Amino acid sequence: MQLSKDFNFDNESTKDYAQKVCKASLIANKAIDDQRAGLCSASEVKDALNMFDMLSKSANFAACKRKAG
């Protein structure tokens, strides 16, 4: 996983949470693309973005340190 190469994670739980945030990001991106194509509603996009925001904030990724280089 690329995240493991770029960031230091304190434990397996933090790494697992990072994977969930990444998945939520992909879901949000897909919802945006689907809305542009007329395949879903704005409320579905809003829900996906809210989930991503919630996970990102609770994960505290600002506290994760990038690996050198």
Side-chain angles (χ1 to χ4, degrees):
M1 178 170 83
Q2 185 64 35
L3 279 174
S4 296
K5 294 177 184 175
D6 293 339
F7 289 89
N8 289 318
F9 293 104
D10 294 352
N11 56 49
E12 194 64 30
S13 177
T14 305
K15 182 178 172 183
D16 180 57
Y17 208 84
Q19 290 175 326
K20 290 176 180 162
V21 172
C22 289
K23 186 173 182 178
S25 175
L26 292 173
I27 290 168
N29 285 340
K30 184 179 182 322
I32 291 168
D33 291 343
D34 286 351
Q35 184 191 22
R36 288 182 184 147
L39 301 174
C40 76
S41 68
S43 67
E44 291 174 279
V45 172
K46 184 179 177 183
D47 291 345
L49 290 172
N50 286 340
M51 180 60 69
F52 170 71
D53 287 342
M54 181 193 69
L55 288 170
S56 295
K57 289 174 186 171
S58 64
N60 236 351
F61 281 115
C64 292
K65 294 189 170 94
R66 279 197 165 277
K67 289 183 179 176

